[in-house]
mmCIF file of all heavy atoms in Angstrom:
data_model
loop_
_atom_site.group_PDB
_atom_site.id
_atom_site.type_symbol
_atom_site.label_atom_id
_atom_site.label_comp_id
_atom_site.label_asym_id
_atom_site.label_seq_id
_atom_site.Cartn_x
_atom_site.Cartn_y
_atom_site.Cartn_z
ATOM 1 N N THR W 1594 88.476 103.047 96.181
ATOM 2 C CA THR W 1594 87.526 103.006 97.276
ATOM 3 C C THR W 1594 87.211 104.439 97.702
ATOM 4 O O THR W 1594 87.966 105.359 97.348
ATOM 5 C CB THR W 1594 88.085 102.160 98.455
ATOM 6 O OG1 THR W 1594 87.115 102.025 99.427
ATOM 7 C CG2 THR W 1594 89.308 102.829 99.064
ATOM 8 N N THR W 1595 86.122 104.653 98.440
ATOM 9 C CA THR W 1595 85.814 106.028 98.810
ATOM 10 C C THR W 1595 86.651 106.475 100.019
ATOM 11 O O THR W 1595 86.978 105.680 100.872
ATOM 12 C CB THR W 1595 84.302 106.178 99.207
ATOM 13 O OG1 THR W 1595 83.983 105.125 100.136
ATOM 14 C CG2 THR W 1595 83.392 106.070 98.020
ATOM 15 N N ILE W 1596 86.951 107.747 100.039
ATOM 16 C CA ILE W 1596 87.716 108.320 101.161
ATOM 17 C C ILE W 1596 86.710 108.705 102.236
ATOM 18 O O ILE W 1596 85.641 109.252 101.950
ATOM 19 C CB ILE W 1596 88.486 109.565 100.688
ATOM 20 C CG1 ILE W 1596 89.476 109.188 99.568
ATOM 21 C CG2 ILE W 1596 89.222 110.229 101.842
ATOM 22 C CD1 ILE W 1596 90.213 110.356 98.955
ATOM 23 N N ASP W 1597 87.069 108.397 103.499
ATOM 24 C CA ASP W 1597 86.205 108.772 104.617
ATOM 25 C C ASP W 1597 85.880 110.286 104.558
ATOM 26 O O ASP W 1597 86.814 111.102 104.524
ATOM 27 C CB ASP W 1597 86.977 108.424 105.907
ATOM 28 C CG ASP W 1597 86.106 108.593 107.143
ATOM 29 O OD1 ASP W 1597 85.126 109.380 107.127
ATOM 30 O OD2 ASP W 1597 86.425 107.918 108.153
ATOM 31 N N PRO W 1598 84.571 110.656 104.570
ATOM 32 C CA PRO W 1598 84.175 112.071 104.461
ATOM 33 C C PRO W 1598 84.845 112.961 105.511
ATOM 34 O O PRO W 1598 85.034 114.175 105.304
ATOM 35 C CB PRO W 1598 82.670 112.048 104.672
ATOM 36 C CG PRO W 1598 82.247 110.670 104.400
ATOM 37 C CD PRO W 1598 83.433 109.787 104.689
ATOM 38 N N GLU W 1599 85.267 112.343 106.633
ATOM 39 C CA GLU W 1599 85.974 113.093 107.670
ATOM 40 C C GLU W 1599 87.180 113.855 107.103
ATOM 41 O O GLU W 1599 87.549 114.912 107.594
ATOM 42 C CB GLU W 1599 86.430 112.105 108.751
ATOM 43 C CG GLU W 1599 87.060 112.750 109.980
ATOM 44 C CD GLU W 1599 87.932 111.787 110.763
ATOM 45 O OE1 GLU W 1599 87.666 110.563 110.737
ATOM 46 O OE2 GLU W 1599 88.900 112.276 111.373
ATOM 47 N N TYR W 1600 87.811 113.265 106.079
ATOM 48 C CA TYR W 1600 89.033 113.837 105.507
ATOM 49 C C TYR W 1600 88.752 114.778 104.342
ATOM 50 O O TYR W 1600 89.667 115.319 103.743
ATOM 51 C CB TYR W 1600 89.991 112.765 105.013
ATOM 52 C CG TYR W 1600 90.377 111.762 106.081
ATOM 53 C CD1 TYR W 1600 90.182 110.394 105.887
ATOM 54 C CD2 TYR W 1600 90.950 112.187 107.265
ATOM 55 C CE1 TYR W 1600 90.537 109.485 106.859
ATOM 56 C CE2 TYR W 1600 91.305 111.263 108.243
ATOM 57 C CZ TYR W 1600 91.084 109.913 108.031
ATOM 58 O OH TYR W 1600 91.440 109.025 108.994
ATOM 59 N N LEU W 1601 87.469 114.924 103.966
ATOM 60 C CA LEU W 1601 87.175 115.683 102.747
ATOM 61 C C LEU W 1601 86.938 117.177 103.025
ATOM 62 O O LEU W 1601 86.328 117.539 104.040
ATOM 63 C CB LEU W 1601 85.937 115.103 102.047
ATOM 64 C CG LEU W 1601 86.028 113.640 101.632
ATOM 65 C CD1 LEU W 1601 84.781 113.234 100.846
ATOM 66 C CD2 LEU W 1601 87.273 113.403 100.758
ATOM 67 N N TYR W 1602 87.373 117.986 102.097
ATOM 68 C CA TYR W 1602 87.131 119.424 102.198
ATOM 69 C C TYR W 1602 85.681 119.726 101.909
ATOM 70 O O TYR W 1602 85.052 120.518 102.600
ATOM 71 C CB TYR W 1602 88.050 120.122 101.157
ATOM 72 C CG TYR W 1602 87.887 121.619 101.139
ATOM 73 C CD1 TYR W 1602 88.213 122.399 102.247
ATOM 74 C CD2 TYR W 1602 87.422 122.274 99.986
ATOM 75 C CE1 TYR W 1602 88.079 123.773 102.204
ATOM 76 C CE2 TYR W 1602 87.277 123.638 99.938
ATOM 77 C CZ TYR W 1602 87.594 124.389 101.073
ATOM 78 O OH TYR W 1602 87.457 125.742 101.035
ATOM 79 N N THR W 1603 85.111 119.020 100.911
ATOM 80 C CA THR W 1603 83.677 119.141 100.638
ATOM 81 C C THR W 1603 83.008 117.810 101.000
ATOM 82 O O THR W 1603 83.170 116.826 100.299
ATOM 83 C CB THR W 1603 83.450 119.433 99.120
ATOM 84 O OG1 THR W 1603 84.282 120.529 98.762
ATOM 85 C CG2 THR W 1603 81.991 119.742 98.825
ATOM 86 N N LYS W 1604 82.377 117.787 102.125
ATOM 87 C CA LYS W 1604 81.858 116.530 102.694
ATOM 88 C C LYS W 1604 80.790 115.839 101.813
ATOM 89 O O LYS W 1604 80.621 114.625 101.823
ATOM 90 C CB LYS W 1604 81.235 116.747 104.078
ATOM 91 C CG LYS W 1604 82.130 117.551 105.004
ATOM 92 C CD LYS W 1604 83.089 116.672 105.746
ATOM 93 C CE LYS W 1604 83.942 117.487 106.687
ATOM 94 N NZ LYS W 1604 85.297 117.016 106.822
ATOM 95 N N SER W 1605 80.034 116.686 101.096
ATOM 96 C CA SER W 1605 78.859 116.149 100.364
ATOM 97 C C SER W 1605 79.247 115.359 99.133
ATOM 98 O O SER W 1605 78.440 114.582 98.595
ATOM 99 C CB SER W 1605 77.944 117.315 99.973
ATOM 100 O OG SER W 1605 78.707 118.216 99.204
ATOM 101 N N GLN W 1606 80.533 115.486 98.698
ATOM 102 C CA GLN W 1606 80.877 114.863 97.433
ATOM 103 C C GLN W 1606 81.784 113.628 97.679
ATOM 104 O O GLN W 1606 82.754 113.738 98.446
ATOM 105 C CB GLN W 1606 81.578 115.949 96.587
ATOM 106 C CG GLN W 1606 82.458 115.507 95.481
ATOM 107 C CD GLN W 1606 83.512 116.581 95.145
ATOM 108 O OE1 GLN W 1606 83.869 117.428 95.978
ATOM 109 N NE2 GLN W 1606 83.962 116.555 93.913
ATOM 110 N N ASP W 1607 81.460 112.510 97.043
ATOM 111 C CA ASP W 1607 82.300 111.306 97.208
ATOM 112 C C ASP W 1607 83.612 111.474 96.453
ATOM 113 O O ASP W 1607 83.615 111.891 95.305
ATOM 114 C CB ASP W 1607 81.572 110.079 96.624
ATOM 115 C CG ASP W 1607 80.621 109.475 97.658
ATOM 116 O OD1 ASP W 1607 80.686 109.836 98.818
ATOM 117 O OD2 ASP W 1607 79.769 108.643 97.222
ATOM 118 N N LEU W 1608 84.697 111.117 97.124
ATOM 119 C CA LEU W 1608 85.998 111.127 96.402
ATOM 120 C C LEU W 1608 86.595 109.708 96.527
ATOM 121 O O LEU W 1608 86.449 109.039 97.545
ATOM 122 C CB LEU W 1608 86.956 112.143 97.018
ATOM 123 C CG LEU W 1608 86.670 113.634 96.727
ATOM 124 C CD1 LEU W 1608 87.799 114.481 97.298
ATOM 125 C CD2 LEU W 1608 86.535 113.915 95.219
ATOM 126 N N TYR W 1609 87.265 109.322 95.461
ATOM 127 C CA TYR W 1609 87.816 107.964 95.392
ATOM 128 C C TYR W 1609 89.340 107.964 95.395
ATOM 129 O O TYR W 1609 89.959 108.896 94.883
ATOM 130 C CB TYR W 1609 87.306 107.259 94.116
ATOM 131 C CG TYR W 1609 85.804 107.096 94.122
ATOM 132 C CD1 TYR W 1609 84.965 108.119 93.644
ATOM 133 C CD2 TYR W 1609 85.215 105.928 94.652
ATOM 134 C CE1 TYR W 1609 83.598 107.981 93.690
ATOM 135 C CE2 TYR W 1609 83.845 105.800 94.676
ATOM 136 C CZ TYR W 1609 83.031 106.806 94.215
ATOM 137 O OH TYR W 1609 81.686 106.677 94.244
ATOM 138 N N PHE W 1610 89.882 106.875 95.968
ATOM 139 C CA PHE W 1610 91.349 106.766 96.034
ATOM 140 C C PHE W 1610 91.716 105.287 95.954
ATOM 141 O O PHE W 1610 90.906 104.419 96.221
ATOM 142 C CB PHE W 1610 91.851 107.365 97.368
ATOM 143 C CG PHE W 1610 93.292 107.830 97.326
ATOM 144 C CD1 PHE W 1610 93.685 108.794 96.401
ATOM 145 C CD2 PHE W 1610 94.218 107.304 98.205
ATOM 146 C CE1 PHE W 1610 95.019 109.213 96.377
ATOM 147 C CE2 PHE W 1610 95.555 107.733 98.176
ATOM 148 C CZ PHE W 1610 95.943 108.682 97.266
ATOM 149 N N LEU W 1615 95.336 104.383 100.201
ATOM 150 C CA LEU W 1615 94.505 105.119 101.183
ATOM 151 C C LEU W 1615 94.966 104.872 102.624
ATOM 152 O O LEU W 1615 94.945 105.736 103.451
ATOM 153 C CB LEU W 1615 93.050 104.703 101.006
ATOM 154 C CG LEU W 1615 92.045 105.443 101.911
ATOM 155 C CD1 LEU W 1615 92.052 106.941 101.669
ATOM 156 C CD2 LEU W 1615 90.598 104.900 101.704
ATOM 157 N N LEU W 1618 97.598 107.258 103.241
ATOM 158 C CA LEU W 1618 97.049 108.615 103.326
ATOM 159 C C LEU W 1618 96.415 108.848 104.715
ATOM 160 O O LEU W 1618 96.645 109.887 105.363
ATOM 161 C CB LEU W 1618 95.999 108.824 102.227
ATOM 162 C CG LEU W 1618 95.422 110.256 102.121
ATOM 163 C CD1 LEU W 1618 96.466 111.228 101.548
ATOM 164 C CD2 LEU W 1618 94.156 110.288 101.283
ATOM 165 N N GLU W 1619 95.666 107.826 105.164
ATOM 166 C CA GLU W 1619 95.001 107.958 106.487
ATOM 167 C C GLU W 1619 96.031 108.062 107.601
ATOM 168 O O GLU W 1619 95.865 108.857 108.536
ATOM 169 C CB GLU W 1619 94.059 106.768 106.706
ATOM 170 C CG GLU W 1619 92.801 106.891 105.861
ATOM 171 C CD GLU W 1619 91.935 105.642 105.908
ATOM 172 O OE1 GLU W 1619 92.418 104.591 106.400
ATOM 173 O OE2 GLU W 1619 90.781 105.730 105.455
ATOM 174 N N MET W 1621 99.014 109.266 107.332
ATOM 175 C CA MET W 1621 99.622 110.595 107.192
ATOM 176 C C MET W 1621 98.732 111.654 107.840
ATOM 177 O O MET W 1621 99.213 112.509 108.590
ATOM 178 C CB MET W 1621 99.887 110.909 105.713
ATOM 179 C CG MET W 1621 100.631 112.206 105.516
ATOM 180 S SD MET W 1621 101.311 112.384 103.865
ATOM 181 C CE MET W 1621 99.847 112.883 102.948
ATOM 182 N N PHE W 1622 97.425 111.560 107.579
ATOM 183 C CA PHE W 1622 96.481 112.525 108.153
ATOM 184 C C PHE W 1622 96.469 112.433 109.673
ATOM 185 O O PHE W 1622 96.406 113.450 110.367
ATOM 186 C CB PHE W 1622 95.066 112.284 107.601
ATOM 187 C CG PHE W 1622 94.829 112.950 106.261
ATOM 188 C CD1 PHE W 1622 95.868 113.137 105.357
ATOM 189 C CD2 PHE W 1622 93.569 113.392 105.888
ATOM 190 C CE1 PHE W 1622 95.672 113.727 104.139
ATOM 191 C CE2 PHE W 1622 93.368 113.996 104.676
ATOM 192 C CZ PHE W 1622 94.412 114.179 103.782
ATOM 193 N N LYS W 1631 95.370 119.957 110.536
ATOM 194 C CA LYS W 1631 94.211 119.254 109.971
ATOM 195 C C LYS W 1631 94.254 119.376 108.437
ATOM 196 O O LYS W 1631 93.941 120.417 107.871
ATOM 197 C CB LYS W 1631 92.944 119.930 110.545
ATOM 198 C CG LYS W 1631 91.657 119.373 109.979
ATOM 199 C CD LYS W 1631 91.206 118.096 110.674
ATOM 200 C CE LYS W 1631 89.855 117.612 110.072
ATOM 201 N NZ LYS W 1631 89.661 116.185 110.261
ATOM 202 N N LEU W 1632 94.693 118.247 107.822
ATOM 203 C CA LEU W 1632 94.763 118.220 106.372
ATOM 204 C C LEU W 1632 93.419 117.736 105.785
ATOM 205 O O LEU W 1632 92.720 116.945 106.425
ATOM 206 C CB LEU W 1632 95.858 117.281 105.899
ATOM 207 C CG LEU W 1632 97.292 117.712 106.208
ATOM 208 C CD1 LEU W 1632 98.271 116.567 105.923
ATOM 209 C CD2 LEU W 1632 97.669 118.955 105.409
ATOM 210 N N MET W 1633 93.091 118.167 104.586
ATOM 211 C CA MET W 1633 91.825 117.753 103.949
ATOM 212 C C MET W 1633 92.065 117.528 102.460
ATOM 213 O O MET W 1633 92.907 118.194 101.819
ATOM 214 C CB MET W 1633 90.775 118.841 104.142
ATOM 215 C CG MET W 1633 90.259 118.906 105.583
ATOM 216 S SD MET W 1633 89.094 120.246 105.805
ATOM 217 C CE MET W 1633 90.159 121.627 105.612
ATOM 218 N N VAL W 1634 91.273 116.608 101.916
ATOM 219 C CA VAL W 1634 91.404 116.275 100.500
ATOM 220 C C VAL W 1634 90.421 117.125 99.709
ATOM 221 O O VAL W 1634 89.215 117.126 99.973
ATOM 222 C CB VAL W 1634 91.102 114.785 100.254
ATOM 223 C CG1 VAL W 1634 91.253 114.439 98.770
ATOM 224 C CG2 VAL W 1634 92.002 113.912 101.095
ATOM 225 N N VAL W 1635 90.963 117.804 98.706
ATOM 226 C CA VAL W 1635 90.113 118.627 97.827
ATOM 227 C C VAL W 1635 89.742 117.816 96.587
ATOM 228 O O VAL W 1635 88.640 117.852 96.095
ATOM 229 C CB VAL W 1635 90.834 119.920 97.421
ATOM 230 C CG1 VAL W 1635 89.977 120.742 96.460
ATOM 231 C CG2 VAL W 1635 91.162 120.745 98.637
ATOM 232 N N SER W 1636 90.719 117.053 96.092
ATOM 233 C CA SER W 1636 90.507 116.273 94.889
ATOM 234 C C SER W 1636 91.350 115.012 94.962
ATOM 235 O O SER W 1636 92.456 115.026 95.503
ATOM 236 C CB SER W 1636 90.892 117.108 93.652
ATOM 237 O OG SER W 1636 90.703 116.373 92.490
ATOM 238 N N ALA W 1637 90.829 113.919 94.422
ATOM 239 C CA ALA W 1637 91.605 112.658 94.483
ATOM 240 C C ALA W 1637 91.589 111.998 93.100
ATOM 241 O O ALA W 1637 92.111 112.598 92.142
ATOM 242 C CB ALA W 1637 91.040 111.752 95.549
ATOM 243 N N TYR W 1638 90.961 110.847 92.972
ATOM 244 C CA TYR W 1638 90.872 110.199 91.662
ATOM 245 C C TYR W 1638 90.014 111.003 90.736
ATOM 246 O O TYR W 1638 88.937 111.503 91.119
ATOM 247 C CB TYR W 1638 90.273 108.789 91.824
ATOM 248 C CG TYR W 1638 89.842 108.184 90.501
ATOM 249 C CD1 TYR W 1638 90.765 107.828 89.557
ATOM 250 C CD2 TYR W 1638 88.479 108.013 90.233
ATOM 251 C CE1 TYR W 1638 90.370 107.270 88.329
ATOM 252 C CE2 TYR W 1638 88.062 107.475 89.027
ATOM 253 C CZ TYR W 1638 89.005 107.110 88.068
ATOM 254 O OH TYR W 1638 88.612 106.602 86.868
ATOM 255 N N ARG W 1639 90.495 111.217 89.528
ATOM 256 C CA ARG W 1639 89.664 111.857 88.499
ATOM 257 C C ARG W 1639 89.718 111.007 87.249
ATOM 258 O O ARG W 1639 90.832 110.628 86.784
ATOM 259 C CB ARG W 1639 90.210 113.274 88.156
ATOM 260 C CG ARG W 1639 90.002 114.249 89.311
ATOM 261 C CD ARG W 1639 89.963 115.698 88.832
ATOM 262 N NE ARG W 1639 91.256 116.194 88.340
ATOM 263 C CZ ARG W 1639 92.071 116.959 89.078
ATOM 264 N NH1 ARG W 1639 91.772 117.265 90.307
ATOM 265 N NH2 ARG W 1639 93.185 117.411 88.527
ATOM 266 N N HIS W 1671 96.102 112.321 88.484
ATOM 267 C CA HIS W 1671 94.869 112.033 89.248
ATOM 268 C C HIS W 1671 94.133 110.823 88.708
ATOM 269 O O HIS W 1671 93.378 110.191 89.452
ATOM 270 C CB HIS W 1671 93.949 113.257 89.218
ATOM 271 C CG HIS W 1671 94.409 114.333 90.155
ATOM 272 N ND1 HIS W 1671 94.181 114.297 91.498
ATOM 273 C CD2 HIS W 1671 95.157 115.471 89.909
ATOM 274 C CE1 HIS W 1671 94.733 115.382 92.068
ATOM 275 N NE2 HIS W 1671 95.320 116.090 91.119
ATOM 276 N N GLY W 1674 94.560 107.410 90.651
ATOM 277 C CA GLY W 1674 93.907 107.102 91.934
ATOM 278 C C GLY W 1674 94.841 107.140 93.107
ATOM 279 O O GLY W 1674 94.452 106.813 94.223
ATOM 280 N N THR W 1675 96.111 107.536 92.875
ATOM 281 C CA THR W 1675 97.089 107.584 93.973
ATOM 282 C C THR W 1675 97.560 109.012 94.232
ATOM 283 O O THR W 1675 98.579 109.211 94.897
ATOM 284 C CB THR W 1675 98.295 106.687 93.664
ATOM 285 O OG1 THR W 1675 98.778 107.019 92.367
ATOM 286 C CG2 THR W 1675 97.933 105.234 93.703
ATOM 287 N N THR W 1676 96.861 109.978 93.663
ATOM 288 C CA THR W 1676 97.277 111.375 93.793
ATOM 289 C C THR W 1676 96.154 112.216 94.405
ATOM 290 O O THR W 1676 94.996 112.025 94.049
ATOM 291 C CB THR W 1676 97.669 111.927 92.391
ATOM 292 O OG1 THR W 1676 98.710 111.127 91.882
ATOM 293 C CG2 THR W 1676 98.123 113.392 92.487
ATOM 294 N N VAL W 1677 96.547 113.063 95.308
ATOM 295 C CA VAL W 1677 95.534 113.942 95.947
ATOM 296 C C VAL W 1677 95.952 115.395 95.865
ATOM 297 O O VAL W 1677 97.136 115.722 95.836
ATOM 298 C CB VAL W 1677 95.377 113.612 97.458
ATOM 299 C CG1 VAL W 1677 94.412 112.489 97.696
ATOM 300 C CG2 VAL W 1677 96.701 113.383 98.154
ATOM 301 N N ASP W 1678 94.938 116.282 95.856
ATOM 302 C CA ASP W 1678 95.166 117.686 96.054
ATOM 303 C C ASP W 1678 94.710 117.968 97.485
ATOM 304 O O ASP W 1678 93.606 117.616 97.865
ATOM 305 C CB ASP W 1678 94.329 118.519 95.069
ATOM 306 C CG ASP W 1678 94.842 118.389 93.634
ATOM 307 O OD1 ASP W 1678 96.034 118.042 93.434
ATOM 308 O OD2 ASP W 1678 94.064 118.633 92.709
ATOM 309 N N LEU W 1679 95.616 118.548 98.243
ATOM 310 C CA LEU W 1679 95.341 118.734 99.681
ATOM 311 C C LEU W 1679 95.234 120.201 100.025
ATOM 312 O O LEU W 1679 95.809 121.078 99.385
ATOM 313 C CB LEU W 1679 96.478 118.111 100.514
ATOM 314 C CG LEU W 1679 96.687 116.606 100.331
ATOM 315 C CD1 LEU W 1679 97.927 116.164 101.103
ATOM 316 C CD2 LEU W 1679 95.480 115.813 100.746
ATOM 317 N N THR W 1680 94.548 120.434 101.105
ATOM 318 C CA THR W 1680 94.568 121.760 101.719
ATOM 319 C C THR W 1680 94.508 121.544 103.221
ATOM 320 O O THR W 1680 94.419 120.399 103.678
ATOM 321 C CB THR W 1680 93.421 122.637 101.191
ATOM 322 O OG1 THR W 1680 93.610 123.976 101.633
ATOM 323 C CG2 THR W 1680 92.063 122.151 101.652
ATOM 324 N N SER W 1681 94.550 122.621 103.960
ATOM 325 C CA SER W 1681 94.431 122.466 105.411
ATOM 326 C C SER W 1681 93.412 123.469 105.937
ATOM 327 O O SER W 1681 93.037 124.397 105.242
ATOM 328 C CB SER W 1681 95.777 122.650 106.078
ATOM 329 O OG SER W 1681 96.266 123.951 105.828
ATOM 330 N N GLN W 1682 93.002 123.211 107.150
ATOM 331 C CA GLN W 1682 91.929 124.023 107.724
ATOM 332 C C GLN W 1682 92.316 125.518 107.764
ATOM 333 O O GLN W 1682 91.460 126.399 107.632
ATOM 334 C CB GLN W 1682 91.621 123.550 109.141
ATOM 335 C CG GLN W 1682 90.135 123.437 109.398
ATOM 336 C CD GLN W 1682 89.845 122.543 110.614
ATOM 337 O OE1 GLN W 1682 90.731 122.336 111.471
ATOM 338 N NE2 GLN W 1682 88.662 122.003 110.672
ATOM 339 N N GLY W 1685 92.102 126.493 103.394
ATOM 340 C CA GLY W 1685 90.979 125.985 102.612
ATOM 341 C C GLY W 1685 91.105 126.284 101.126
ATOM 342 O O GLY W 1685 90.378 125.750 100.313
ATOM 343 N N PHE W 1687 93.546 126.623 97.568
ATOM 344 C CA PHE W 1687 94.780 126.141 96.930
ATOM 345 C C PHE W 1687 95.885 127.175 96.926
ATOM 346 O O PHE W 1687 97.017 126.914 97.329
ATOM 347 C CB PHE W 1687 94.495 125.868 95.448
ATOM 348 C CG PHE W 1687 93.968 124.509 95.189
ATOM 349 C CD1 PHE W 1687 93.424 124.195 93.927
ATOM 350 C CD2 PHE W 1687 94.020 123.497 96.141
ATOM 351 C CE1 PHE W 1687 92.926 122.954 93.661
ATOM 352 C CE2 PHE W 1687 93.530 122.235 95.869
ATOM 353 C CZ PHE W 1687 92.995 121.960 94.627
ATOM 354 N N PHE W 1690 98.004 127.776 99.926
ATOM 355 C CA PHE W 1690 98.467 126.586 100.655
ATOM 356 C C PHE W 1690 99.977 126.625 100.921
ATOM 357 O O PHE W 1690 100.452 126.164 101.955
ATOM 358 C CB PHE W 1690 98.084 125.328 99.919
ATOM 359 C CG PHE W 1690 98.330 124.071 100.699
ATOM 360 C CD1 PHE W 1690 97.766 123.888 101.949
ATOM 361 C CD2 PHE W 1690 99.115 123.034 100.199
ATOM 362 C CE1 PHE W 1690 97.970 122.751 102.702
ATOM 363 C CE2 PHE W 1690 99.353 121.876 100.957
ATOM 364 C CZ PHE W 1690 98.751 121.743 102.187
ATOM 365 N N LEU W 1699 103.835 118.819 105.413
ATOM 366 C CA LEU W 1699 103.937 117.816 104.335
ATOM 367 C C LEU W 1699 105.353 117.730 103.801
ATOM 368 O O LEU W 1699 105.875 116.647 103.555
ATOM 369 C CB LEU W 1699 102.948 118.189 103.211
ATOM 370 C CG LEU W 1699 101.475 117.870 103.468
ATOM 371 C CD1 LEU W 1699 100.589 118.518 102.397
ATOM 372 C CD2 LEU W 1699 101.226 116.367 103.492
ATOM 373 N N PHE W 1708 104.359 109.759 100.178
ATOM 374 C CA PHE W 1708 103.849 110.799 99.293
ATOM 375 C C PHE W 1708 104.933 111.806 98.890
ATOM 376 O O PHE W 1708 105.795 112.147 99.723
ATOM 377 C CB PHE W 1708 102.693 111.553 99.974
ATOM 378 C CG PHE W 1708 101.418 110.755 99.947
ATOM 379 C CD1 PHE W 1708 101.168 109.830 100.970
ATOM 380 C CD2 PHE W 1708 100.482 110.921 98.947
ATOM 381 C CE1 PHE W 1708 99.982 109.061 100.953
ATOM 382 C CE2 PHE W 1708 99.317 110.152 98.931
ATOM 383 C CZ PHE W 1708 99.050 109.226 99.924
ATOM 384 N N TRP W 1724 99.894 121.821 96.587
ATOM 385 C CA TRP W 1724 98.767 121.015 97.068
ATOM 386 C C TRP W 1724 98.739 119.598 96.477
ATOM 387 O O TRP W 1724 98.033 118.729 96.964
ATOM 388 C CB TRP W 1724 97.451 121.722 96.697
ATOM 389 C CG TRP W 1724 97.342 121.996 95.213
ATOM 390 C CD1 TRP W 1724 96.925 121.123 94.253
ATOM 391 C CD2 TRP W 1724 97.701 123.201 94.533
ATOM 392 N NE1 TRP W 1724 96.988 121.703 92.994
ATOM 393 C CE2 TRP W 1724 97.477 122.983 93.166
ATOM 394 C CE3 TRP W 1724 98.205 124.437 94.924
ATOM 395 C CZ2 TRP W 1724 97.724 123.939 92.167
ATOM 396 C CZ3 TRP W 1724 98.413 125.406 93.966
ATOM 397 C CH2 TRP W 1724 98.195 125.168 92.608
ATOM 398 N N TRP W 1726 99.971 116.007 95.707
ATOM 399 C CA TRP W 1726 100.848 114.980 96.282
ATOM 400 C C TRP W 1726 100.517 113.622 95.713
ATOM 401 O O TRP W 1726 99.352 113.220 95.674
ATOM 402 C CB TRP W 1726 100.747 114.981 97.814
ATOM 403 C CG TRP W 1726 101.292 116.263 98.402
ATOM 404 C CD1 TRP W 1726 100.620 117.440 98.500
ATOM 405 C CD2 TRP W 1726 102.597 116.476 98.896
ATOM 406 N NE1 TRP W 1726 101.449 118.396 99.032
ATOM 407 C CE2 TRP W 1726 102.655 117.828 99.308
ATOM 408 C CE3 TRP W 1726 103.750 115.668 99.042
ATOM 409 C CZ2 TRP W 1726 103.820 118.394 99.834
ATOM 410 C CZ3 TRP W 1726 104.888 116.240 99.592
ATOM 411 C CH2 TRP W 1726 104.916 117.574 99.987
#
Side-chain angles (χ1 to χ4, degrees):
T1594 187
T1595 49
I1596 300 176
D1597 188 335
E1599 187 201 329
Y1600 303 125
L1601 301 185
Y1602 179 64
T1603 310
K1604 311 273 181 215
S1605 57
Q1606 159 203 27
D1607 276 346
L1608 287 185
Y1609 297 87
F1610 204 59
L1615 183 60
L1618 185 73
E1619 286 173 346
M1621 184 165 81
F1622 276 31
K1631 175 83 178 156
L1632 294 170
M1633 288 176 293
V1634 180
V1635 178
S1636 180
Y1638 165 69
R1639 291 204 291 260
H1671 284 280
T1675 51
T1676 301
V1677 275
D1678 290 338
L1679 301 175
T1680 190
S1681 60
Q1682 225 161 23
F1687 274 167
F1690 190 55
L1699 284 169
F1708 283 86
W1724 56 83
W1726 294 82

